[in-house]
Amino acid sequence: MPQKVIMIAAVLENGVIGAEGDQPWSHPDDFAHFKDLTMRGVLIMGRKTYEAIGRPLPGRQTLVLTRDADFKPGDAPPDQARTVASLEEAFELTATEFADRKVWIAGGGEIYRQAMDRAERLEITHVHTELPGDVTFPEIDEAVWAEVGRTDRDEFSWVTYKRISAATPGSLESD
Ligand SMILES: NC(=O)c1ccc[n+]([C@@H]2O[C@H](COP(=O)([O-])OP(=O)(O)OC[C@H]3O[C@@H](n4cnc5c(N)ncnc54)[C@H](OP(=O)(O)O)[C@@H]3O)[C@@H](O)[C@H]2O)c1
């Protein structure tokens, strides 16, 4: 059975998640929400997102996706951040070394798109505004994802989606 994978992102009304290499929007409560949810888990993220953050996030194992064999995640020790050359390599590691930990897809746009078919849950901060940007979140198809939880705040809503059908028939289990 494939390991459960959860995607987490803050998405503006126009779908934007990134602008010029950084996040166009942030809120301290959303940082805390991200931290609470992902603590002790494994974060899988693209090299550009890792460089935007600039360091491994404490209490979590980061797997940095890169095709550059020479890329080093700064001076972070391997039990905090290490590189992987493909999503499959990342999932092999999470299924073996980190089988007891939750697996979070933490962006950016390239990685969300490639991992969407593997996700069984989405934790989306829907931000109630539009800002310009150059990286977007993939479409959340209502035929595939059902909203199962919501907390509304003035500036944003935290929404949990659960997969209700496989994006590609037969590619996933549904539960
Ligand atoms: N709002 C949010 O919740 C949120 C969350 C995360 C990120 N972001 C934003 O998203 C933007 C970054 O997204 P992005 O799409 O430009 O970049 P990204 O997904 O963070 O990283 C792309 C890089 O990942 C590596 N990569 C991609 N697919 C791979 C694969 N299959 N195998 C191995 N390596 C692979 C490549 O690195 P190499 O070039 O090194 O080979 C590629 O250049 C930033 O603006 C960031 O702030 C927003």
Side-chain angles (χ1 to χ4, degrees):
M1 183 174 119
Q3 197 173 13
K4 301 292 188 199
V5 174
I6 311 160
M7 307 230 290
I8 186 162
V11 184
L12 306 190
E13 279 174 355
N14 52 352
V16 162
I17 60 166
E20 297 179 350
D22 215 335
Q23 298 209 24
W25 176 91
S26 65
H27 190 290
D29 292 355
D30 194 50
F31 274 130
H33 178 74
F34 179 92
K35 185 176 176 183
D36 283 353
L37 285 177
T38 61
M39 190 49 69
R40 286 181 293 282
V42 180
L43 299 174
I44 298 176
M45 65 180 71
R47 188 262 309 161
K48 292 180 185 174
T49 293
Y50 182 77
E51 289 195 314
I53 298 170
R55 64 190 167 90
L57 294 172
R60 287 145 285 187
Q61 171 72 52
T62 301
L63 301 180
V64 184
L65 273 159
T66 177
R67 298 185 180 94
D68 178 356
D70 295 326
F71 179 78
K72 299 269 179 293
D75 53 10
D79 65 347
Q80 291 181 23
R82 67 174 89 167
T83 58
V84 283
S86 67
L87 263 181
E88 284 322 305
E89 186 183 336
F91 291 135
E92 272 170 36
L93 263 182
T94 59
T96 51
E97 276 192 54
F98 307 114
D100 58 340
R101 295 166 79 166
K102 285 189 179 163
V103 180
W104 297 89
I105 304 295
E110 283 188 37
I111 307 308
Y112 290 134
R113 274 182 180 76
Q114 294 176 48
M116 192 107 177
D117 281 1
R118 286 290 304 267
E120 54 92 29
R121 205 171 99 203
L122 311 178
E123 294 289 351
I124 304 297
T125 304
H126 285 292
V127 185
H128 304 163
T129 191
E130 291 191 6
L131 292 168
D134 46 24
V135 180
T136 57
F137 194 79
E139 184 200 353
I140 301 172
D141 183 347
E142 284 180 5
V144 176
W145 298 100
E147 182 181 317
V148 294
R150 167 180 286 265
T151 303
D152 288 318
R153 301 272 300 263
D154 285 348
E155 266 188 69
F156 57 85
S157 301
W158 286 313
V159 180
T160 302
Y161 296 89
K162 186 172 183 241
R163 176 179 291 283
I164 51 172
S165 85
T168 308
S171 71
L172 284 164
E173 296 186 346
S174 57
D175 61 352

Short mmCIF file of all heavy atoms in Angstrom, two decimals, residues 39-71:
data_model
loop_
_atom_site.label_atom_id
_atom_site.label_comp_id
_atom_site.label_asym_id
_atom_site.label_seq_id
_atom_site.Cartn_x
_atom_site.Cartn_y
_atom_site.Cartn_z
N MET A 39 5.15 19.25 12.18
CA MET A 39 6.18 18.92 13.17
C MET A 39 6.38 17.40 13.28
O MET A 39 5.40 16.66 13.30
CB MET A 39 5.78 19.52 14.53
CG MET A 39 6.85 19.46 15.59
SD MET A 39 8.49 20.04 15.06
CE MET A 39 8.26 21.78 14.83
N ARG A 40 7.63 16.98 13.29
CA ARG A 40 8.08 15.58 13.34
C ARG A 40 7.89 14.82 12.03
O ARG A 40 8.25 13.65 11.93
CB ARG A 40 7.42 14.79 14.49
CG ARG A 40 7.99 15.17 15.86
CD ARG A 40 7.33 14.37 16.97
NE ARG A 40 5.93 14.72 17.12
CZ ARG A 40 5.51 15.83 17.73
NH1 ARG A 40 6.39 16.67 18.25
NH2 ARG A 40 4.23 16.09 17.82
N GLY A 41 7.33 15.49 11.02
CA GLY A 41 7.11 14.81 9.74
C GLY A 41 8.30 14.96 8.80
O GLY A 41 9.36 15.48 9.17
N VAL A 42 8.11 14.47 7.59
CA VAL A 42 9.10 14.62 6.53
C VAL A 42 8.56 15.63 5.53
O VAL A 42 7.41 15.51 5.08
CB VAL A 42 9.35 13.27 5.81
CG1 VAL A 42 10.38 13.45 4.69
CG2 VAL A 42 9.80 12.21 6.79
N LEU A 43 9.37 16.63 5.21
CA LEU A 43 8.98 17.64 4.22
C LEU A 43 9.72 17.34 2.92
O LEU A 43 10.95 17.29 2.91
CB LEU A 43 9.38 19.04 4.69
CG LEU A 43 8.77 19.57 5.98
CD1 LEU A 43 9.42 20.92 6.34
CD2 LEU A 43 7.27 19.74 5.83
N ILE A 44 8.97 17.15 1.85
CA ILE A 44 9.58 17.00 0.53
C ILE A 44 9.38 18.33 -0.21
O ILE A 44 8.25 18.81 -0.32
CB ILE A 44 8.91 15.86 -0.26
CG1 ILE A 44 9.11 14.53 0.47
CG2 ILE A 44 9.48 15.79 -1.68
CD1 ILE A 44 8.40 13.34 -0.18
N MET A 45 10.49 18.91 -0.66
CA MET A 45 10.36 20.20 -1.35
C MET A 45 11.39 20.32 -2.47
O MET A 45 12.44 19.66 -2.45
CB MET A 45 10.51 21.37 -0.37
CG MET A 45 11.85 21.50 0.27
SD MET A 45 11.94 22.90 1.43
CE MET A 45 10.93 22.35 2.79
N GLY A 46 11.07 21.16 -3.44
CA GLY A 46 11.98 21.43 -4.54
C GLY A 46 13.16 22.28 -4.08
O GLY A 46 13.10 23.00 -3.08
N ARG A 47 14.23 22.18 -4.86
CA ARG A 47 15.45 22.93 -4.51
C ARG A 47 15.19 24.44 -4.41
O ARG A 47 15.74 25.12 -3.53
CB ARG A 47 16.53 22.61 -5.57
CG ARG A 47 17.91 23.14 -5.26
CD ARG A 47 18.20 24.44 -5.97
NE ARG A 47 17.92 24.37 -7.40
CZ ARG A 47 17.74 25.44 -8.15
NH1 ARG A 47 17.81 26.66 -7.63
NH2 ARG A 47 17.48 25.32 -9.46
N LYS A 48 14.32 24.98 -5.27
CA LYS A 48 14.08 26.43 -5.24
C LYS A 48 13.37 26.83 -3.96
O LYS A 48 13.68 27.86 -3.36
CB LYS A 48 13.27 26.86 -6.47
CG LYS A 48 14.06 26.71 -7.77
CD LYS A 48 13.25 27.15 -8.97
CE LYS A 48 14.01 26.89 -10.25
NZ LYS A 48 13.20 27.15 -11.45
N THR A 49 12.43 26.02 -3.53
CA THR A 49 11.74 26.32 -2.27
C THR A 49 12.70 26.20 -1.10
O THR A 49 12.70 27.03 -0.18
CB THR A 49 10.53 25.36 -2.09
OG1 THR A 49 9.58 25.68 -3.10
CG2 THR A 49 9.90 25.49 -0.72
N TYR A 50 13.56 25.16 -1.13
CA TYR A 50 14.53 25.00 -0.04
C TYR A 50 15.44 26.23 0.03
O TYR A 50 15.70 26.76 1.12
CB TYR A 50 15.36 23.73 -0.22
CG TYR A 50 16.33 23.53 0.93
CD1 TYR A 50 15.88 23.04 2.15
CD2 TYR A 50 17.67 23.88 0.81
CE1 TYR A 50 16.74 22.89 3.22
CE2 TYR A 50 18.54 23.73 1.88
CZ TYR A 50 18.08 23.23 3.09
OH TYR A 50 18.93 23.10 4.15
N GLU A 51 15.88 26.69 -1.14
CA GLU A 51 16.78 27.86 -1.13
C GLU A 51 16.04 29.11 -0.65
O GLU A 51 16.65 29.98 -0.02
CB GLU A 51 17.39 28.06 -2.51
CG GLU A 51 18.40 26.97 -2.81
CD GLU A 51 19.29 27.30 -3.99
OE1 GLU A 51 18.77 27.74 -5.03
OE2 GLU A 51 20.51 27.09 -3.87
N ALA A 52 14.73 29.20 -0.96
CA ALA A 52 13.97 30.37 -0.48
C ALA A 52 13.88 30.35 1.05
O ALA A 52 13.96 31.40 1.69
CB ALA A 52 12.57 30.36 -1.09
N ILE A 53 13.72 29.16 1.63
CA ILE A 53 13.65 29.07 3.10
C ILE A 53 15.05 29.22 3.69
O ILE A 53 15.23 29.86 4.73
CB ILE A 53 13.02 27.72 3.52
CG1 ILE A 53 11.59 27.60 2.99
CG2 ILE A 53 13.03 27.56 5.04
CD1 ILE A 53 10.97 26.22 3.16
N GLY A 54 16.02 28.62 3.02
CA GLY A 54 17.41 28.87 3.37
C GLY A 54 18.00 27.96 4.44
O GLY A 54 19.19 28.06 4.75
N ARG A 55 17.19 27.07 5.00
CA ARG A 55 17.68 26.18 6.06
C ARG A 55 16.63 25.10 6.29
O ARG A 55 15.46 25.29 5.94
CB ARG A 55 17.89 26.96 7.37
CG ARG A 55 16.57 27.50 7.87
CD ARG A 55 16.69 28.47 9.02
NE ARG A 55 15.39 29.13 9.19
CZ ARG A 55 14.41 28.68 9.96
NH1 ARG A 55 14.57 27.57 10.65
NH2 ARG A 55 13.26 29.31 10.05
N PRO A 56 17.04 24.00 6.92
CA PRO A 56 16.02 23.00 7.26
C PRO A 56 15.14 23.52 8.39
O PRO A 56 15.62 24.26 9.26
CB PRO A 56 16.84 21.79 7.74
CG PRO A 56 18.22 22.26 7.97
CD PRO A 56 18.40 23.59 7.31
N LEU A 57 13.87 23.19 8.36
CA LEU A 57 12.97 23.64 9.42
C LEU A 57 13.12 22.70 10.62
O LEU A 57 13.11 21.47 10.46
CB LEU A 57 11.52 23.66 8.91
CG LEU A 57 11.31 24.71 7.81
CD1 LEU A 57 9.93 24.57 7.18
CD2 LEU A 57 11.50 26.12 8.37
N PRO A 58 13.28 23.26 11.81
CA PRO A 58 13.58 22.43 12.98
C PRO A 58 12.49 21.39 13.27
O PRO A 58 11.31 21.65 13.04
CB PRO A 58 13.65 23.45 14.13
CG PRO A 58 13.44 24.79 13.55
CD PRO A 58 13.21 24.68 12.08
N GLY A 59 12.93 20.24 13.74
CA GLY A 59 11.99 19.19 14.16
C GLY A 59 11.43 18.37 13.03
O GLY A 59 10.59 17.50 13.25
N ARG A 60 11.87 18.66 11.80
CA ARG A 60 11.37 17.93 10.65
C ARG A 60 12.54 17.49 9.76
O ARG A 60 13.56 18.16 9.70
CB ARG A 60 10.41 18.81 9.82
CG ARG A 60 9.08 19.01 10.50
CD ARG A 60 8.48 20.37 10.27
NE ARG A 60 9.16 21.41 11.04
CZ ARG A 60 8.75 22.67 11.13
NH1 ARG A 60 7.68 23.06 10.47
NH2 ARG A 60 9.41 23.54 11.86
N GLN A 61 12.38 16.36 9.11
CA GLN A 61 13.36 15.91 8.11
C GLN A 61 12.98 16.49 6.76
O GLN A 61 11.84 16.32 6.32
CB GLN A 61 13.33 14.38 8.02
CG GLN A 61 14.15 13.81 6.87
CD GLN A 61 15.66 13.94 7.12
OE1 GLN A 61 16.14 13.52 8.16
NE2 GLN A 61 16.37 14.52 6.16
N THR A 62 13.92 17.20 6.14
CA THR A 62 13.65 17.75 4.81
C THR A 62 14.35 16.92 3.74
O THR A 62 15.53 16.59 3.89
CB THR A 62 14.11 19.22 4.73
OG1 THR A 62 13.42 19.98 5.71
CG2 THR A 62 13.83 19.81 3.36
N LEU A 63 13.61 16.61 2.68
CA LEU A 63 14.19 15.96 1.50
C LEU A 63 14.08 16.97 0.36
O LEU A 63 12.98 17.40 0.00
CB LEU A 63 13.43 14.68 1.15
CG LEU A 63 13.39 13.60 2.24
CD1 LEU A 63 12.60 12.38 1.75
CD2 LEU A 63 14.79 13.18 2.68
N VAL A 64 15.24 17.39 -0.14
CA VAL A 64 15.30 18.44 -1.16
C VAL A 64 15.45 17.78 -2.54
O VAL A 64 16.43 17.09 -2.79
CB VAL A 64 16.49 19.39 -0.92
CG1 VAL A 64 16.46 20.53 -1.94
CG2 VAL A 64 16.50 19.91 0.50
N LEU A 65 14.47 18.02 -3.40
CA LEU A 65 14.53 17.45 -4.74
C LEU A 65 15.42 18.32 -5.63
O LEU A 65 15.19 19.54 -5.75
CB LEU A 65 13.14 17.43 -5.35
CG LEU A 65 12.30 16.20 -5.03
CD1 LEU A 65 10.82 16.51 -5.22
CD2 LEU A 65 12.71 15.04 -5.92
N THR A 66 16.41 17.70 -6.25
CA THR A 66 17.26 18.41 -7.20
C THR A 66 17.84 17.41 -8.19
O THR A 66 18.08 16.25 -7.83
CB THR A 66 18.40 19.18 -6.49
OG1 THR A 66 19.23 19.80 -7.48
CG2 THR A 66 19.27 18.29 -5.61
N ARG A 67 18.04 17.87 -9.42
CA ARG A 67 18.71 17.02 -10.41
C ARG A 67 20.20 17.33 -10.44
O ARG A 67 20.94 16.72 -11.21
CB ARG A 67 18.08 17.23 -11.79
CG ARG A 67 16.60 16.85 -11.83
CD ARG A 67 16.03 16.95 -13.24
NE ARG A 67 14.62 16.57 -13.26
CZ ARG A 67 13.60 17.43 -13.15
NH1 ARG A 67 13.85 18.72 -13.02
NH2 ARG A 67 12.36 17.00 -13.16
N ASP A 68 20.63 18.26 -9.62
CA ASP A 68 22.04 18.68 -9.56
C ASP A 68 22.75 17.83 -8.50
O ASP A 68 22.57 18.03 -7.29
CB ASP A 68 22.08 20.17 -9.18
CG ASP A 68 23.51 20.69 -9.03
OD1 ASP A 68 24.46 19.88 -9.13
OD2 ASP A 68 23.66 21.90 -8.80
N ALA A 69 23.58 16.91 -8.97
CA ALA A 69 24.25 15.98 -8.05
C ALA A 69 25.20 16.71 -7.11
O ALA A 69 25.58 16.17 -6.06
CB ALA A 69 25.01 14.93 -8.85
N ASP A 70 25.60 17.92 -7.48
CA ASP A 70 26.54 18.67 -6.63
C ASP A 70 25.85 19.57 -5.61
O ASP A 70 26.52 20.19 -4.78
CB ASP A 70 27.45 19.55 -7.51
CG ASP A 70 28.33 18.70 -8.40
OD1 ASP A 70 28.71 17.61 -7.96
OD2 ASP A 70 28.60 19.13 -9.55
N PHE A 71 24.52 19.67 -5.70
CA PHE A 71 23.83 20.59 -4.77
C PHE A 71 23.92 20.07 -3.33
O PHE A 71 23.70 18.90 -3.05
CB PHE A 71 22.35 20.75 -5.16
CG PHE A 71 21.62 21.67 -4.21
CD1 PHE A 71 21.76 23.05 -4.32
CD2 PHE A 71 20.84 21.17 -3.18
CE1 PHE A 71 21.12 23.90 -3.42
CE2 PHE A 71 20.19 22.01 -2.28
CZ PHE A 71 20.33 23.38 -2.41
#
